[in-house]
Amino acid sequence: MKPVTKKQQFLSEHNRLSSLDLQATMEMLSRFKIERASLFKDNNWSIEKLRRPFVFWLTSFKIGENKS
């Protein structure tokens, strides 16, 4: 069994805490990391540090755009 990465842990926790319209995918997390690189001084996916900026980033898209 593959070990769970910090990114996978973040995704799991975020989706557990979120409504259906804010559910995320690994691809969305990868895009977020590229677009908000300044938040990632290391490869730490801290739910406390990153969830709020991630939710703001997600909700900044037009309806339906964030699913692509």
Side-chain angles (χ1 to χ4, degrees):
M1 192 169 172
K2 278 175 44 176
V4 177
T5 66
K6 292 183 186 300
K7 187 176 178 181
Q8 289 168 319
Q9 289 172 335
F10 177 91
L11 179 64
S12 176
E13 185 68 6
H14 166 78
N15 284 341
R16 185 182 69 77
L17 296 169
S18 296
S19 60
L20 287 176
D21 61 326
L22 289 177
Q23 296 291 297
T25 64
M26 290 297 273
E27 292 78 19
M28 293 162 84
L29 293 183
S30 296
R31 183 173 166 187
F32 172 71
K33 186 174 180 183
I34 291 166
E35 292 185 16
R36 299 292 188 268
S38 64
L39 294 173
F40 294 89
K41 304 288 186 227
D42 50 23
N43 199 27
N44 189 5
W45 283 87
S46 165
I47 195 78
E48 294 83 14
K49 177 184 168 194
L50 296 174
R51 184 158 188 271
R52 189 173 178 170
F54 182 65
V55 169
F56 286 144
W57 179 81
L58 270 181
T59 58
S60 70
F61 295 104
K62 294 180 204 137
I63 304 291
E65 184 182 338
N66 64 340
K67 301 297 183 202
S68 59

